[in-house]
Amino acid sequence: GDRVHGWAENGIYNAMIAPLLPYAITGAVWYQGESNRSQADYFQKLQALSAGWSTVFNVKDIPLYQVQIAPFAYNKGNPEDATLSDNIWAAQYKGAKEIPGMGVVAIHDTNIDIFNIHPVFKRTVGQRLAAQALKNQYGQEVIATGPRFANARAQGSTAIVSFTEIDQGLVTNDGQAPSWFELSADGKTFVKAEAVIEGATVKVTAAGVTAPTHVRMGWKDIAIPNLADKNGWPVFSFPAQAVTAQ
């Protein structure tokens, strides 16, 4: 189930995992977390999961690839709700960055129905997870991630967002302007922003925000942003502080 308990912290395994231990594995995938949506300790749970499975399967820093939990209308579709992103997405990103062997793939572009907790279109999900294993464990030269936020600079009333791991170039998957961008002057109150792709960056402005200090994209429980790489991989959602250009 979703709840990763203390059994992993000391190498003890529960009844679901114990029967698998006679088998040797190279790594695992993890597509859970919906029930942990409001828990602020999900990163610690991911640490425990990694440590526990590394121990019981005798695989150092076990490759553990997560699916970023899909957008869903948890709070009656409240468009301002960011509980999932603040707790689970943030923890999943942190885990992929800081826990050895851990990765994450985004799936918000796979025709998600925000009123169905179980996304229907799973082929792309499996292909993206497989790409991470093929690249990292089997040495194949495949694309295994979408672009990630790199940094944001504030120039007057504009936030300029840069990305890493761009493959073929930034684009939107529906031909419209980049969606679900927001700006804030204080990091607390965010307003809908206009965004334009310029090369490997996105320039973001918003009416009434003359000196942005924070910018974010898709950082809401129901957000399905359209920014992607031309190769079909979506850009990861993000929250960020904008650094004033010198």
Side-chain angles (χ1 to χ4, degrees), residues 165-230:
E165 299 181 88
I166 296 174
D167 176 36
Q168 298 179 17
L170 295 177
V171 69
T172 58
N173 55 30
D174 58 5
Q176 304 298 310
S179 62
W180 286 98
F181 274 87
E182 297 175 294
L183 285 182
S184 174
D186 59 7
K188 298 177 181 178
T189 301
F190 284 82
V191 299
K192 184 178 180 180
E194 303 295 325
V196 177
I197 297 172
E198 288 199 6
T201 68
V202 174
K203 290 190 173 182
V204 189
T205 58
V209 182
T210 58
T213 62
H214 292 73
V215 57
R216 63 189 186 186
M217 183 200 80
W219 209 247
K220 298 285 179 62
D221 286 9
I222 63 170
I224 302 179
N226 61 2
L227 192 62
D229 196 296
K230 290 178 182 178

Side-chain angles (χ1 to χ4, degrees), residues 82-106:
T83 306
L84 179 72
S85 47
D86 286 343
N87 289 317
I88 305 305
W89 293 352
Q92 291 184 303
Y93 288 3
K94 184 177 173 68
K97 183 178 181 180
E98 298 183 11
I99 300 174
M102 188 168 286
V104 63
V105 297

Side-chain angles (χ1 to χ4, degrees), residues 14-136:
N14 66 12
M16 292 179 66
I17 299 302
L20 303 178
L21 294 185
Y23 299 94
I25 67 171
T26 299
V29 298
W30 182 253
Y31 190 175
Q32 295 290 340
E34 293 89 344
S35 295
N36 302 93
R37 172 175 167 267
S38 61
Q39 298 174 9
D41 64 346
Y42 196 66
F43 173 70
Q44 286 73 31
K45 288 180 165 66
L46 290 175
Q47 285 181 308
L49 180 68
S50 175
W53 284 9
S54 292
T55 298
V56 298
F57 286 109
N58 195 28
V59 179
K60 178 177 172 55
D61 299 331
I62 189 169
L64 187 58
Y65 298 126
Q66 314 166 79
V67 176
Q68 182 177 329
I69 298 302
F72 181 73
Y74 292 93
N75 188 11
K76 298 181 179 179
N78 176 6
E80 298 305 311
D81 194 345
T83 306
L84 179 72
S85 47
D86 286 343
N87 289 317
I88 305 305
W89 293 352
Q92 291 184 303
Y93 288 3
K94 184 177 173 68
K97 183 178 181 180
E98 298 183 11
I99 300 174
M102 188 168 286
V104 63
V105 297
I107 64 165
H108 59 259
D109 62 325
T110 58
N111 297 315
I112 295 296
D113 177 357
I114 63 169
F115 299 105
N116 184 351
I117 194 68
H118 298 292
V120 174
F121 302 100
K122 294 182 168 62
R123 179 183 293 272
T124 301
V125 180
Q127 289 172 334
R128 288 176 181 167
L129 290 166
Q132 294 216 333
L134 288 171
K135 182 178 180 66
N136 297 327

